[in-house]
């Protein structure tokens, strides 16, 4: 596709990110009562009583620049507090065991002309399976410039053998090839936000990317752990914007997790697996500066099963509308193929 083609990056925060810490309600006495040890303080004001965690300075700036919105009290129509089941549902949009395709893969299969996708990691994630043209980028584990290692491989590990000798001689050619490659050469320790951003920014690069960020299962010591996690995530969003360059104007970045956390803190100053969470929607193609969807409240009668933020807003509806408005997929295909039996064409979360 052309340089002005729509770009989309999905960031999956695996482990159940706490949406009430990501975007909180600093004036809520109810939340202070339920989480006396979890409030970060000095939050960054947003709108409608919401505020960003103080570590989210880039995201707050994007919100003020109207390039970021958020959807709170968001969840899946299939409710389960198992990481594995919920991640499968988040990526496949199917309530079946062992799904073989992902909703984004099915969406890309329906787009013409074909759209290429890239993921960061050792394998293509479930959400991209079914895409006709996708690949994964994994940082090299061996430094191609390590002359000592090359010498060891060729002189110590293998006995003299014509075929092996010929094969090992090709290592020199491989080293030259790797160190001469693209803007990504020699950057094996860089983070996935930089890698994916620069790949998508290239004139002939992919238009869709997927990044997974783990370790969001904060059952204990949550306030300290999340301060570091949020700072890294916020830096990653800033890195994406810088790496994308002009492509940022045509990009939507979606940050999601499989579920939120319990509203009340537990005995180890953490939270347990929950239901409703928060979703970040950012990018130059986003008409931002808004709180999307409905807020159910935090009173006992409003909680899901008496303990979780009620998932008032279906995250799959947001996925569907992005596929329709950003990539031009018709409602009929979205409802029949990409999100079968879960999405109504009348459901809208974006203006």
């Amino acid at each position: 596709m052309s340089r002005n083609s729509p770009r989309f990056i999905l960031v999956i925060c695996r482990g159940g990110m706490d949406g009430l810490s990501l975007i909180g309600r600093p004036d809520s006495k109810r939340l202070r009562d339920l989480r006396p040890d979890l409030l970060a303080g000095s939050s960054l004001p947003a709108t409608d009583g919401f505020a960003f965690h103080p570590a989210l300075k880039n995201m707050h700036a994007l919100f003020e620049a109207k390039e970021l919105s958020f959807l709170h009290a968001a969840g899946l129509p299939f409710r389960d507090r198992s990481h594995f089941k919920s991640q499968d549902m988040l990526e496949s949009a199917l309530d079946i065991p062992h799904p073989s395709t992902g909703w984004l893969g099915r969406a890309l299969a329906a787009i013409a002309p074909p759209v290429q996708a890239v993921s960061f990691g050792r394998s293509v994630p479930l959400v991209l399976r079914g895409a006709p043209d996708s690949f994964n980028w994994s940082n090299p584990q061996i430094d191609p410039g390590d002359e000592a290692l090359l010498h060891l491989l060729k002189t110590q590990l293998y006995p003299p053998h014509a075929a092996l000798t010929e094969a090992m001689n090709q290592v020199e050619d491989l080293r030259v090839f790797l160190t001469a490659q693209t803007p990504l050469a020699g950057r094996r320790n860089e983070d996935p936000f930089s890698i994916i951003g620069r790949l998508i920014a290239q004139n002939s690069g992919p238009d869709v990317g997927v990044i997974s960020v783990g370790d969001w299962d904060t059952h204990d010591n949550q306030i300290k752990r999340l301060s570091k996690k949020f700072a890294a995530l916020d830096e990653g969003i800033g890195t994406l914007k810088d790496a994308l360059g002009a492509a940022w104007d045509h990009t939507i970045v979606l940050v999601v997790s499989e579920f939120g956390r319990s509203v009340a803190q537990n005995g180890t100053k953490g939270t347990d697996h929950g239901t409703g969470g928060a979703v970040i929607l950012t990018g130059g193609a986003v008409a931002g500066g808004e709180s999307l969807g409905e807020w159910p409240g935090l009173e006992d009668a409003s909680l899901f099963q008496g303990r979780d933020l009620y998932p008032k807003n279906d995250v799959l509806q947001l996925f569907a509308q992005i596929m329709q408005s950003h990539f031009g997929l018709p409602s009929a295909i979205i409802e029949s193929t990409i999100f079968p039996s879960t999405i109504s064409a009348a459901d809208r979360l974006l203006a």
Side-chain angles (χ1 to χ4, degrees):
M1 301 180 78
S2 70
R3 178 152 181 89
N4 293 332
S5 60
R7 316 292 173 94
F8 177 67
I9 300 172
L10 179 67
V11 181
I12 302 176
C13 295
R14 299 185 186 276
M17 180 174 64
D18 183 29
L20 287 171
S21 290
L22 182 82
I23 302 169
R25 306 279 296 187
D27 296 330
S28 171
K29 181 181 182 302
R30 171 72 170 161
L31 200 57
R32 291 195 300 271
D33 290 343
L34 293 174
R35 295 181 165 212
D37 300 306
L38 301 187
L39 303 180
S42 303
S43 52
L44 306 170
T47 186
D48 299 333
F50 292 103
F52 291 88
H53 187 281
L56 303 177
K57 293 179 174 59
N58 284 324
M59 293 192 203
H60 183 251
L62 288 168
F63 181 84
E64 292 196 319
K66 298 191 183 304
E67 291 188 342
L68 183 148
S69 287
F70 57 88
L71 177 67
H72 224 312
L76 295 163
F78 327 107
R79 291 160 191 170
D80 194 298
R81 294 189 184 97
S82 160
H83 290 300
F84 304 107
K85 285 184 180 180
S86 296
Q87 286 179 26
D88 278 357
M89 293 171 185
L90 180 73
E91 295 186 66
S92 70
L94 302 172
D95 187 16
I96 60 174
H98 312 300
S100 60
T101 63
W103 65 263
L104 186 52
R106 296 192 299 272
L108 296 181
I111 294 174
V115 172
Q116 188 180 62
V118 59
S119 60
F120 187 94
R122 294 181 178 274
S123 61
V124 174
L126 172 60
V127 71
L128 273 180
R129 292 177 196 167
D133 188 4
S134 66
F135 67 99
N136 59 295
W137 172 272
S138 182
N139 277 336
Q141 299 300 305
I142 296 176
D143 187 342
D146 191 335
E147 299 290 350
L149 176 60
L150 295 177
H151 177 77
L152 179 66
L153 287 171
K154 289 193 287 186
T155 62
Q156 302 295 322
L157 298 184
Y158 296 99
H161 188 285
L164 285 173
T165 300
E166 181 181 356
M168 292 309 300
N169 283 337
Q170 301 303 312
V171 173
E172 286 289 355
D173 295 335
L174 176 62
R175 181 181 65 81
V176 172
F177 173 77
L178 286 174
T179 54
Q181 286 307 294
T182 72
L184 306 182
R187 303 178 186 267
R188 65 192 179 96
N189 294 321
E190 281 194 326
D191 69 273
F193 293 92
S194 176
I195 296 289
I196 295 299
R198 283 183 292 124
L199 283 169
I200 290 177
Q202 294 176 7
N203 285 331
S204 58
D207 289 300
V208 172
V210 176
I211 299 170
S212 292
V213 183
D215 198 26
W216 293 95
D217 197 15
T218 51
H219 287 282
D220 59 89
N221 196 23
Q222 177 170 302
I223 190 167
K224 183 177 180 180
R225 291 172 62 186
L226 282 185
S227 291
K228 294 180 180 179
K229 294 294 293 181
F230 285 153
L233 178 63
D234 188 67
E235 182 180 357
I237 296 298
T239 296
L240 263 183
K241 182 176 181 180
D242 291 342
L244 285 166
W248 173 261
D249 292 340
H250 312 288
T251 298
I252 289 178
V253 180
L254 197 62
V255 182
V256 300
S257 193
E258 69 265 31
F259 46 63
R261 313 294 298 183
S262 57
V263 174
Q265 69 180 57
N266 61 25
T268 54
K269 297 184 180 181
T271 53
D272 298 319
H273 297 180
T275 309
V279 176
I280 294 291
L281 182 70
T282 188
V286 172
E290 294 183 81
S291 168
L292 305 173
E294 298 182 55
W295 174 249
L298 296 171
E299 299 305 316
D300 283 340
S302 302
L303 299 183
F304 179 69
Q305 296 183 349
R307 48 160 284 169
D308 298 340
L309 181 63
Y310 194 88
K312 190 73 173 178
N313 305 296
D314 185 350
V315 70
L316 298 188
Q317 293 177 15
L318 182 61
F319 295 165
Q321 192 163 350
I322 291 171
M323 292 300 101
Q324 185 176 38
S325 62
H326 197 50
F327 286 104
L329 284 174
S331 295
I333 291 178
I334 288 173
E335 293 178 30
S336 65
T337 304
I338 304 169
F339 301 101
S341 303
T342 62
I343 292 296
S344 167
D347 288 327
R348 291 293 178 266
L349 288 167
L350 300 173

